Amino acid sequence: HVQLVESGGGLVQPGGSLTLSCDASGYRISSNCMGWFRLPPGKELEGVAAIYTSGGEKYYADSVKGRFTISRDYNKNMVYLQIFSLKPEGSALYYCAAKRSTCWDSWTRWREYQYWGQGTQVTVS
């Protein structure tokens, strides 16, 4: 049973920083596109970042470029999202997701991801 578990969310002031973690225990993240998505209140699910675990290619939404950094740790089977300079519009439920393919040109298509975590809440206020 594949389980992705996000952690690291919380309440942070505007301009603050957080690091979100995605624990993919029981699942080999190699050769996967690992994505981070967020669901702001009253809005649609939005892809914010993704990483192809084997090649290390990283992808970011224009709205977060320069402020978000995605990374992975093979040994720990973990994926991280560092968030800097948080804005109030960054308040959302953040999800980690995995799909067994590359990220190229399709990383924002949430329907293509096979596995999802339960999400971790980030509130900027």
Side-chain angles (χ1 to χ4, degrees):
H1 175 68
V2 177
Q3 187 173 14
L4 305 180
V5 180
E6 303 94 336
S7 62
L11 176 64
V12 63
Q13 293 183 343
S17 301
L18 281 175
T19 297
L20 306 183
S21 300
C22 174
D23 185 344
S25 297
Y27 183 68
R28 287 182 58 85
I29 65 172
S30 61
S31 301
N32 272 253
C33 178
M34 300 296 296
W36 282 97
F37 292 79
R38 66 183 178 187
L39 183 63
K43 297 186 178 180
E44 294 184 352
L45 193 64
E46 174 192 21
V48 295
I51 184 168
Y52 181 56
T53 56
S54 292
E57 296 89 348
K58 301 178 181 181
Y59 305 82
Y60 297 97
D62 288 343
S63 59
V64 306
K65 279 181 182 176
R67 297 187 300 112
F68 287 26
T69 301
I70 190 170
S71 61
R72 87 297 197 207
D73 185 325
Y74 268 143
N75 291 334
K76 296 182 179 179
N77 230 34
M78 298 282 291
V79 180
Y80 304 97
L81 185 69
Q82 293 177 284
I83 307 174
F84 303 97
S85 302
L86 272 161
K87 301 178 181 180
E89 53 265 36
S91 295
L93 192 58
Y94 283 72
Y95 295 95
C96 172
K99 64 171 179 171
R100 295 184 299 269
S101 68
T102 62
C103 299
W104 174 250
D105 200 33
S106 64
W107 69 272
T108 59
R109 299 175 191 165
W110 60 267
R111 289 183 177 85
E112 296 186 6
Y113 288 75
Q114 289 89 20
Y115 305 108
W116 291 81
Q118 296 296 311
T120 185
Q121 179 68 42
V122 173
T123 302
V124 185
S125 178

